Amino acid sequence: MQAKSFLPPQRTLMGPGPSDVNPRVLAAMSRPIIGHLDPVFVGMMEEMKGLLQYAFQTENALTLPVSAPGSAGMETCFVNLVEPGDTVIVCVNGVFGTRMQENVERCGGKAVLVEDDWGAPVSPQKVEDALKGNPDARALAFVHAETSTGAQSDVEALCRLAHAHDCLTIVDSVTGLAGTPLYADAWGVDAIYSGTQKCLSCTPGLSPVSFSQRAVDRIQARSHRVQSWFLDLNLVMGYWGGGAKRAYHHTAPINALYALHEALVVLAEEGLENAWARHARHHEALRAGLEAMGLEFLVAPEHRLPQLNSVRVPEGVDEAAVRAELLERYSLEIGAGLGPYAGKIWRIGLMGHGASERNVLTCLSALEAVLGDMGAVTPGRAMAAARATYARQDRAA
Ligand SMILES: *Cc1c(COP(=O)(O)O)cnc(C)c1O
């Protein structure tokens, strides 16, 4: 059989993830492999725990990367915390809330839905009503940063309500982590999962998770065995939590963990607050450029995520043709709409390493050229608006 190496093109990734990976992270992946029980590797994992605690702003001892993508972090939270018969209040304001609902139901739980429009944040008032109406509820689950729309919900307010009604909180911050403020401990988060390929700018395939002591107590008091062997934290803890006495559970994805370690070192070097501020800065410039072109945002200004910008496709424009041309001629990827917004919005990511002036200006000039050729926007304005925003920010600094 004839076979050739696979040589992918160089792209600029400005969709909903994966995002551009820092070259330092890719370099880290190619370092020599060592055994996953090698004391040097175990030392690296201990360090990684501290780096993840910093990223989540938590002191939770049970903080680790699950060896699989964000969806597996989601399942880890639900299979460990939901038992058959449990009532869980699940907030749905986009794609990822509906997946939470499915997780609860597959665990044998009863999901009580709190629904908000796609593009809106989760309504604390509706959550409070659901908590009052369901005094048997044991947990509240919601998405911090809804990647399907670009809306951000108020983690602190929702957690406060949940705790007032004796519920644990399960939070999806796959897109939130490192892109927008998050203080897991101060805000009362009990279980949280994230992903590596969004604002951490790492390769996909790992899911950082963290569990509070209350969540650990709940897991240890379960009356049913966790139905997933691989994701059962009682077993995973023996590996990640075992210190020098680690028991074999599964072979850790060693080189992928080097990559995550490096991504977290990059984050620590920059500083979490600086990373959040950088996402906000570039979002402002992108917003100015997109609006100058005549494009409209889906989400109200006060609920927008800086790292995920959803804009409406202008009337009469074939949105898939635009994305295809951006990819072909500019090697630039942006995201399509999902669910009710399929064909109606684009999702432009400014995540991690990709939250940069270079990416903002690349995206604006390419999008303006493609849409300008179609007569769909007024050309010649976007770059000036973005650059004026940067100049204003620089003067204010
Ligand atoms: C991307 C994403 C996920 C799933 O992560 P995968 O790594 O694709 O499995 C879950 N929740 C949200 C909010 C996401 O953006």
Side-chain angles (χ1 to χ4, degrees):
M1 187 181 144
Q2 285 277 314
K4 284 193 301 211
S5 299
F6 174 62
L7 300 173
Q10 191 76 52
R11 303 282 197 215
T12 300
L13 298 179
M14 298 184 70
S19 59
D20 283 349
V21 172
N22 188 311
R24 279 175 58 181
V25 170
L26 290 176
M29 278 190 111
S30 65
R31 289 180 191 145
I33 187 157
I34 57 179
H36 70 113
L37 297 172
D38 186 314
V40 176
F41 187 74
V42 171
M44 187 277 281
M45 296 213 308
E46 281 303 313
E47 223 176 272
M48 169 123 62
K49 190 190 287 180
L51 290 164
L52 283 176
Q53 287 169 332
Y54 171 68
F56 279 124
Q57 291 289 290
T58 182
E59 289 177 6
N60 292 340
L62 187 56
T63 301
L64 64 128
V66 173
S67 301
S71 306
M74 179 184 288
E75 293 226 21
T76 302
C77 291
F78 288 96
V79 297
N80 283 280
L81 290 171
V82 180
E83 292 198 66
D86 283 358
T87 297
V88 179
I89 295 175
V90 178
C91 305
V92 178
N93 63 336
V95 165
F96 294 100
T98 64
R99 290 193 180 175
M100 288 180 146
Q101 173 192 4
E102 183 150 336
N103 268 270
V104 169
E105 290 170 355
R106 284 179 185 231
C107 294
K110 177 178 160 224
V112 173
L113 300 191
V114 170
E115 294 180 274
D116 279 288
D117 289 342
W118 287 40
V122 172
S123 154
Q125 186 57 56
K126 287 187 194 172
V127 167
E128 185 163 22
D129 293 345
L131 288 161
K132 284 185 180 149
N134 295 275
D136 60 332
R138 302 197 78 205
L140 170 72
F142 64 90
V143 179
H144 173 206
E146 194 29 277
T147 322
S148 61
T149 64
Q152 155 154 240
S153 290
D154 187 341
V155 176
E156 188 177 18
L158 296 174
C159 289
R160 199 182 310 120
L161 288 169
H163 289 163
H165 291 84
D166 220 14
C167 279
L168 288 182
T169 53
I170 302 176
V171 180
D172 176 327
S173 195
V174 174
T175 285
L177 186 69
T180 195
L182 168 70
Y183 298 94
D185 283 0
W187 289 354
V189 174
D190 291 303
I192 189 163
Y193 57 92
S194 189
T196 41
Q197 78 279 29
K198 312 238 171 150
C199 297
L200 289 176
S201 277
C202 184
T203 49
L206 293 171
S207 179
V209 297
S210 185
F211 295 83
S212 71
Q213 191 54 49
R214 284 160 44 113
V216 173
D217 293 345
R218 174 80 62 90
I219 294 167
Q220 288 174 342
R222 283 179 66 100
S223 42
H224 304 75
R225 199 155 67 153
V226 173
Q227 69 268 31
S228 164
W229 175 84
F230 186 67
L231 300 176
D232 184 346
L233 284 170
N234 293 298
L235 304 176
V236 173
M237 280 187 266
Y239 178 57
W240 273 93
K245 293 195 303 290
R246 261 162 222 254
Y248 167 68
H249 176 257
H250 65 279
T251 308
I254 295 157
N255 293 53
L257 289 167
Y258 297 167
L260 177 57
H261 184 274
E262 187 69 12
L264 292 167
V265 168
V266 169
L267 178 65
E269 282 175 5
E270 179 177 21
L272 198 49
E273 286 82 2
N274 293 333
W276 297 335
R278 176 169 49 81
H279 283 84
R281 165 180 163 84
H282 296 296
H283 159 74
E284 280 307 314
L286 181 71
R287 180 192 58 76
L290 292 169
E291 289 182 344
M293 243 187 262
L295 297 176
E296 284 170 23
F297 272 73
L298 174 70
V299 177
E302 64 276 24
H303 303 306
R304 277 178 205 157
L305 285 166
Q307 63 270 50
L308 199 287
N309 298 266
S310 288
V311 288
R312 295 181 189 274
V313 175
E315 204 63 43
V317 168
D318 174 357
E319 77 81 22
V322 171
R323 282 185 296 111
E325 194 165 342
L326 289 174
L327 195 65
E328 216 167 281
R329 295 184 58 191
Y330 300 89
S331 215
L332 169 68
E333 180 177 279
I334 65 169
L338 297 175
Y341 288 113
K344 302 210 170 88
I345 60 169
W346 289 301
R347 293 180 299 148
I348 304 175
L350 279 177
M351 298 185 181
H353 189 63
S356 67
E357 184 162 343
R358 174 175 173 273
N359 277 17
V360 167
L361 299 180
T362 298
C363 177
L364 289 174
S365 57
L367 195 57
E368 191 179 57
V370 173
L371 290 175
D373 284 351
M374 295 175 167
V377 301
T378 316
R381 293 183 181 168
M383 296 294 270
R387 294 181 59 212
T389 302
Y390 281 128
R392 204 163 44 241
Q393 289 170 344
D394 289 344
R395 276 196 307 274

